[in-house]
Amino acid sequence: MTENASQQPPAPTTELPTQYAPADVEGPLYERWVERGYFEADAESDKPPYTVVIPPPNVTGSLHLGHAFEHTLIDALTRRKRMQGHETLWQPGMDHAGIATQNVVERELAKEGKSRHDLGREAFVERVWQWKAESGGQISGQMRRLGDGVAWSRERFTMDEGLSQAVQTIFKRLYDDELIYRAERIINWCPRCLTAISDIEVEYQDDDGELVSMRYGDGDDSIVVATTRAETMLGDTAVAVHPDDERYRHLVGTLVKLPLTDRSIPVVADEHVDPEFGTGAVKVTPAHDPNDFEIGQRHGLPSLTIMDEHAVITAHGPFQGLDRLEARSAIVAALRAEGRIVAEKRPYVHSVGHCSRCKTTIEPRLSMQWWVKVGPLAKAAGDAVRDGRVTIHPQEMEKRYFDWVDNLHDWCISRQLWWGHRIPVWYGPDGEVVCVGPDEQPPSGEGWRQDTDVLDTWFSSGLWPFSTLGWPERTESLAKFYPNSVLVTGYDILFFWVARMMMFGLYAMDGTPPFHTIALHGMVRDQFGKKMSKSFGNAVNPLDWMDKYGSDALRFTLARGANPGVDVPIGEDWVQGSRNFANKLWNATRFALMNGATVEGPLPEPSAMSSTDRWILSRLNSVVAEVDAYYDDYQFAKLSDTLFHFAWDEVFDWYVELSKTVFQAGGEPAKVSQRVLGEVLDVTLKLLHPVVPFVTETLWTTLTGGESIVIADWPADNGFRDAAAEREISSLQSVITEVRRFRADQGLQPGQRVPARLTLDGTSLAPHETAIRQLLRLQPEGDSFTATATLPVAGAEVALDLSGTIDVAAERKRLAKDLAAAEKEKAQATAKLGNEAFLAKAPDQVVDKIRTRLAKAEEDITRIQSQLEKLPPA
């Protein structure tokens, strides 16, 4: 903590404003927490460590609902662990986001009529750093708005000096261990960004294209192939068929003429071909398709590159110089003119990969790139989960993880960009290749040059759990806080970021995995379960909702939807409901303070308490145990829902209401309940704090006078249970609920008083008569009392005199009319469901709707008949 942490906090007030105004509270509170150093972590502490890294957001990014969701969950975990006495580190930082950041700065240059080539590499990189200092990282301020309890003094950036050293170190080690190599392979290429891109940077969508079937060769030796990329035929070096396909067995090993060229290509047999798809024959273009490349490797086929980096045709002939899409139309036209088009299908909807940054259609391209040999690294990543060193939560996600790491292809790590970690390899004038570590001098002299490519952003972010702690130096922070306790991230990057961290952590840290648990969450969607997107018009800026309802309301809504590994729907009305919950907390605490609730002194002995006091304390301890179990199982939705219903339903709607008569009466019972209510609020606010930190901090410090709830002790289940008190209050709740329901059925206003006789003798409810009458607006029976309705419930009996409160004849007439309508509805639904001809023709949804109508009608009939039976005679 900073030295400010030892200063005395402002003297607490015992009063709260009449309304909670989040905008007035949240900003100042957060800055106070940061100034006092509550979120910092001490590597020299003897407390047990608890470490979580932030999935580093892009430096170009801004807070979206996905960030807000993930950060809420991490913040809840770390706030609880801090309160439990752990030395808690939530490590913040940002990713340099190579291609995204370079695109941003290039767009800025374009406004000036310049390109990066006009500046040159060194000046361009300097311009990016300048942009980062001035405009990058706005997400940090937005994280403060959300309440993220991160250790800001430890903030890291994937391009800072320490992390750059880590990147160069691990590259050198992998290179020396022959786990990094350079080779010509098929990669995803963006013709607009002019770089290789990773699989995760490719977005697939269904596009309208064309499927063209064309004939290679002539006569009996001809063969028909189909393609959606006719332009790539210029690079075909074979036609492949399945070895067991009788239709083409006579052609295997022969040559067919490739149309529009002067080349003949072989027919090869390969088990990759699906004989059931299309004609059962496929064209093979090794330089422009990943599957074709593999076929080419197996059969020793040449790879002909027929496009440049801009996706412009370079093959000799009339199509040279055409863009790939222009060439596609021209080639189909030329084939049609030669009578070689067998069939054309337009539109042909198929999945097409696009660059996630610029939306350009990606082009598979044969290219010389740097690769990581992932075989041994991926095996280690799989073994760490299989042998229990790492737990994936929820467990059903393990299969997806194994499907990925057990079948991982070598990883292309080079990018044709200027912004990023430049590959530390130098090439000499006589073909020398030298990889340079961080403490080594690169070779110099005439003819030596450094590789121009930079590393994939995922390469540096894969080091994040240990590079941020000072690796490769053996720092105190690394010793204290590695491995991380848990990684909280979306299932969508399980295959990319998570797998890379696992591989690198196990490799660099001598077999110690980067985290003990991988807790996977789903994606945030709109209230109808649809993916949020600007193009769909349903994207939401979380700052708008925080401005309108407060950060706590957004956080609580997100946490209540967070079931492990499941997508999270969210709508504005749900955030509004969470705001109402915050207001309820505020008003209930305000009521408690006005009625003397206190945390001073020990709790009274149970023998001095009323059954209502013992009930709420029994329930409180059960909730503490439930919440702890849910936290340990990453069940954020269940723990939030448990706390919502306990606070609203049990504490505010029942205990506070039942205590009002006690407070009004005063005396020793009131003092006992004041202390119990203070205890219940103290513990409930602590339990809620990790999810709704701002309102709980304000209320708790006002209630207790403590310095901050952030550093308060987490509640413990003290084992107190009182089953008898719980049964007694359950009976009391049954009486009040049943009578309230009857009053509502009879059309009585909530505040309307009704004479009543209570028969409570012989039950545990006798001590509660005053509370029952007050909560139900029941007057003493009086001399002229006539029991017109009697309600037996929970062993007691409540007799009501409704003669002066309702027009019994009019009420019977109204209910009779409703009963007739319900019976008619039942008869109509029953007739339709009994009609075999109707059932045979009607759609399932229509039949289901009628069944629902029948069930509703039967329910209404039962309810109305019960109301009629309880009415007095007219």
Side-chain angles (χ1 to χ4, degrees), residues 410-423:
D410 285 0
W411 171 21
C412 175
I413 57 172
S414 46
R415 299 291 179 266
Q416 290 65 55
L417 304 170
W418 286 357
W419 172 245
H421 296 100
R422 194 164 175 182
I423 288 176

Side-chain angles (χ1 to χ4, degrees), residues 121-135:
R121 184 169 192 145
E122 189 173 325
F124 176 77
V125 171
E126 181 60 35
R127 180 69 176 261
V128 179
W129 278 109
Q130 180 184 338
W131 174 87
K132 191 255 180 186
E134 295 173 356
S135 306

Side-chain angles (χ1 to χ4, degrees), residues 214-264:
M214 44 198 181
R215 185 180 301 280
Y216 289 7
D218 297 297
D220 293 339
D221 294 334
S222 67
I223 195 165
V224 175
V225 298
T227 182
T228 58
R229 301 163 67 215
E231 69 279 7
T232 62
M233 66 153 293
L234 299 175
D236 285 359
T237 55
V239 172
V241 298
H242 194 275
D244 297 332
D245 195 331
E246 295 290 343
R247 295 171 294 176
Y248 303 117
R249 182 166 290 179
H250 68 288
L251 292 177
V252 174
T254 66
L255 298 175
V256 294
K257 181 73 185 321
L258 180 65
L260 308 181
T261 72
D262 58 0
R263 293 190 291 118
S264 293

Side-chain angles (χ1 to χ4, degrees), residues 758-780:
L758 304 184
T759 305
L760 307 176
D761 295 342
T763 74
S764 60
L765 298 174
H768 301 286
E769 179 168 354
T770 301
I772 292 172
R773 287 190 177 276
Q774 184 165 321
L775 291 175
L776 291 173
R777 304 295 191 271
L778 302 180
Q779 295 176 336

Side-chain angles (χ1 to χ4, degrees), residues 712-773:
D713 291 337
W714 182 255
D717 174 13
N718 64 18
F720 177 77
R721 300 290 191 277
D722 192 324
E726 291 195 37
R727 287 193 298 271
E728 179 177 323
I729 301 306
S730 178
S731 296
L732 175 61
Q733 291 170 330
S734 296
V735 170
I736 293 172
T737 301
E738 182 63 27
V739 176
R740 279 176 174 167
R741 183 182 297 117
F742 176 76
R743 287 176 58 108
D745 288 344
Q746 304 309 317
L748 296 176
Q749 295 300 315
Q752 190 172 352
R753 295 196 169 274
V754 178
R757 176 190 299 138
L758 304 184
T759 305
L760 307 176
D761 295 342
T763 74
S764 60
L765 298 174
H768 301 286
E769 179 168 354
T770 301
I772 292 172
R773 287 190 177 276

Side-chain angles (χ1 to χ4, degrees), residues 224-549:
V224 175
V225 298
T227 182
T228 58
R229 301 163 67 215
E231 69 279 7
T232 62
M233 66 153 293
L234 299 175
D236 285 359
T237 55
V239 172
V241 298
H242 194 275
D244 297 332
D245 195 331
E246 295 290 343
R247 295 171 294 176
Y248 303 117
R249 182 166 290 179
H250 68 288
L251 292 177
V252 174
T254 66
L255 298 175
V256 294
K257 181 73 185 321
L258 180 65
L260 308 181
T261 72
D262 58 0
R263 293 190 291 118
S264 293
I265 57 176
V267 177
V268 299
D270 194 281
E271 291 189 351
H272 169 76
V273 180
D274 180 2
E276 302 299 323
F277 181 76
T279 64
V282 298
K283 57 192 288 300
V284 181
T285 320
H288 293 277
D289 184 273
N291 293 321
D292 292 3
F293 178 80
E294 297 295 333
I295 294 175
Q297 292 291 296
R298 288 193 288 271
H299 296 276
L301 301 173
S303 298
L304 302 182
T305 300
I306 54 100
M307 292 183 213
D308 65 14
E309 64 269 22
H310 297 279
V312 171
I313 301 298
T314 57
H316 292 298
F319 311 108
Q320 186 174 5
L322 294 180
D323 172 80
R324 56 182 166 168
L325 299 182
E326 296 172 335
R328 182 175 301 170
S329 299
I331 286 171
V332 171
L335 290 168
R336 192 182 300 112
E338 289 191 2
R340 295 199 171 272
I341 298 297
V342 175
E344 297 178 70
K345 185 176 181 180
R346 294 187 186 87
Y348 178 73
V349 179
H350 62 131
S351 182
V352 177
H354 297 260
C355 173
S356 63
R357 302 300 175 188
C358 69
K359 310 309 177 187
T360 302
T361 301
I362 63 106
E363 189 66 41
R365 174 179 169 83
L366 186 63
S367 179
M368 182 66 75
Q369 303 285 344
W370 285 95
W371 304 80
V372 172
K373 186 184 295 182
V374 300
L377 302 175
K379 182 181 184 303
D383 290 345
V385 175
R386 287 188 169 96
D387 63 26
R389 281 175 290 159
V390 178
T391 300
I392 294 179
H393 188 88
Q395 189 175 2
E396 53 265 28
M397 287 287 180
E398 278 188 6
K399 182 180 184 302
R400 298 179 66 178
Y401 176 79
F402 291 136
D403 285 347
W404 180 257
V405 297
D406 293 348
N407 299 284
L408 204 54
H409 297 294
D410 285 0
W411 171 21
C412 175
I413 57 172
S414 46
R415 299 291 179 266
Q416 290 65 55
L417 304 170
W418 286 357
W419 172 245
H421 296 100
R422 194 164 175 182
I423 288 176
V425 171
W426 271 256
Y427 305 106
D430 298 319
E432 303 96 329
V433 179
V434 176
C435 180
V436 177
D439 300 322
E440 301 171 349
Q441 287 294 322
S444 59
E446 187 176 350
W448 283 93
R449 60 184 177 83
Q450 185 178 358
D451 196 298
T452 57
D453 288 352
V454 300
L455 287 164
D456 177 14
T457 298
W458 295 101
F459 191 94
S460 53
S461 61
L463 314 180
W464 193 248
F466 52 94
S467 64
T468 52
L469 298 173
W471 187 90
E473 301 299 325
R474 294 288 173 174
T475 64
E476 288 184 340
S477 291
L478 189 65
K480 177 73 173 180
F481 296 114
Y482 186 92
N484 286 199
S485 306
V486 61
L487 172 73
V488 179
T489 192
Y491 63 70
D492 58 319
I493 57 174
L494 173 64
F495 314 134
F496 305 104
W497 187 46
V498 179
R500 282 150 174 69
M501 285 190 291
M502 286 286 284
M503 291 190 296
F504 281 167
L506 289 160
Y507 173 79
M509 298 300 293
D510 303 319
T512 302
F515 18 73
H516 296 302
T517 301
I518 302 168
L520 298 171
H521 59 73
M523 315 304 293
V524 179
R525 297 183 178 273
D526 72 11
Q527 60 189 336
F528 305 108
K530 190 174 182 180
K531 179 181 177 180
M532 285 192 172
S533 167
K534 290 181 180 178
S535 60
F536 294 155
N538 62 350
V540 173
N541 182 346
L543 294 174
D544 292 341
W545 281 352
M546 286 192 281
D547 288 341
K548 194 170 182 180
Y549 303 110

